[in-house]
Amino acid sequence: MARITIADIAREAGVSTGAVSYALNNRPGVSEATRARILGIAADLGWAPSSAARSLSGARTETVGLVLARDPGMLGVESFYMQFLAGIESELSKRSYALLLQVVPDQETELRAYRAWRAARRVDGVILVDPSVDDPRIAMFSEPEALPAVVVGDPALAGGLPSVWTDDAAAMRESVRYLHAVGHRRIARVAGLEGFGHTGIRDAAFREEIAALGAEGTIVRTDYSAVQGAAVTRTLLTSADRPTGIIYDNDVMAVAGLGVASEIGVRVPQEVSMIAWDDSPLCEATFPRLSALSHDVTRYGAHVARRLFDRIAGEVGGSFLDSIPTLRPRGTTGRPAA
């Protein structure tokens, strides 16, 4: 397939090659509307700067990119990403780099953002989060002309791209074993979005450990929000064979679940034990304090940023285990009442 040139873009856009050059290099000389139109056409055509052009310019943008295909409203209450971004920024600031963060409604919009960034040379590298099985982003960033990228997720989902990950399967198994050891035989998992790869990894570990221990296990789905966390907890705790132990996929849902238990008069931990995931400061602010699977999310973000800088520098990369979240029992877990 022939390489797309700026002349091709100019012909499609109905502008001069000079206007295309101004737009692609983020220089003055065209209106913002024209610049956006040219970048969109360049992305649709699959234009990418040649290696020769990049080497001649030798220019770095001193910016890295991160796109979150999430509900913007969730970012204000989901503590994970606030801590994760703080960790990334701690490494960027050492190198006088900036973070280009974009929040989009879906993965297709996310893919368009990457194409536009590559066409305009807006960033030097990209952090990919929430990988899924057969994720189209993995194929995109495995292409020869792709921007350097690091996947935040299990190496089984990274398709050979550099990855930084936490062992969610081991953490889930530890939680189930702990609850079983103190006497729980009906255990529920309040899970996040099914499309995310890490959700599937946690699901599989939960099912395998439940089966190995001969316990009863239930998985319910949510969107990670407090509203859905509360709703599914209410359903679980008012069922005829309610669980005596619940493991949540984040802290926000666990806090909401704790509130529901108090509201309907189910004692914690005497009648139901609860375990959160990520161990943000929220877990220390509840009464009783929430037991949680704990790892240093800020350090995790910093680790990811360092690996991306290695990739930008030309290193091949690999798979890097950051941590195994560790269970910290507090006031919401214990032996169920007889």
Side-chain angles (χ1 to χ4, degrees), residues 272-290:
V272 64
S273 286
M274 295 181 170
I275 297 175
W277 202 299
D278 288 331
D279 200 19
S280 72
L282 282 174
C283 295
E284 296 277 5
T286 61
F287 181 80
R289 294 186 306 155
L290 271 162

Side-chain angles (χ1 to χ4, degrees), residues 45-106:
L45 292 176
W47 179 85
S50 70
S51 300
R54 279 201 302 264
S55 63
L56 285 172
S57 70
R60 289 273 174 88
T61 67
E62 297 187 341
T63 303
V64 299
L66 171 62
V67 182
L68 296 176
R70 291 288 187 97
D71 177 359
M74 280 295 296
L75 298 182
V77 296
E78 176 57 83
S79 61
F80 174 88
Y81 274 113
M82 296 302 100
Q83 296 176 74
F84 186 71
L85 291 173
I88 293 172
E89 290 285 5
S90 72
E91 291 296 325
L92 299 189
S93 63
K94 294 176 184 177
R95 298 164 175 82
S96 298
Y97 259 67
L99 177 67
L100 177 55
L101 175 65
Q102 192 165 335
V103 181
V104 299
D106 52 49

Side-chain angles (χ1 to χ4, degrees), residues 257-268:
L258 185 60
V260 167
S262 175
E263 171 195 327
I264 63 178
V266 176
R267 296 174 298 158
V268 179

Side-chain angles (χ1 to χ4, degrees), residues 95-125:
R95 298 164 175 82
S96 298
Y97 259 67
L99 177 67
L100 177 55
L101 175 65
Q102 192 165 335
V103 181
V104 299
D106 52 49
Q107 192 175 82
E108 184 53 42
T109 310
E110 181 179 355
L111 292 170
R112 287 201 299 271
Y114 296 138
R115 294 187 193 104
W117 288 356
R118 186 178 72 169
R121 288 176 285 186
R122 292 286 304 277
V123 297
D124 295 333

Side-chain angles (χ1 to χ4, degrees), residues 35-48:
R35 188 189 311 278
R37 185 164 62 87
I38 290 170
L39 290 177
I41 291 170
D44 290 341
L45 292 176
W47 179 85

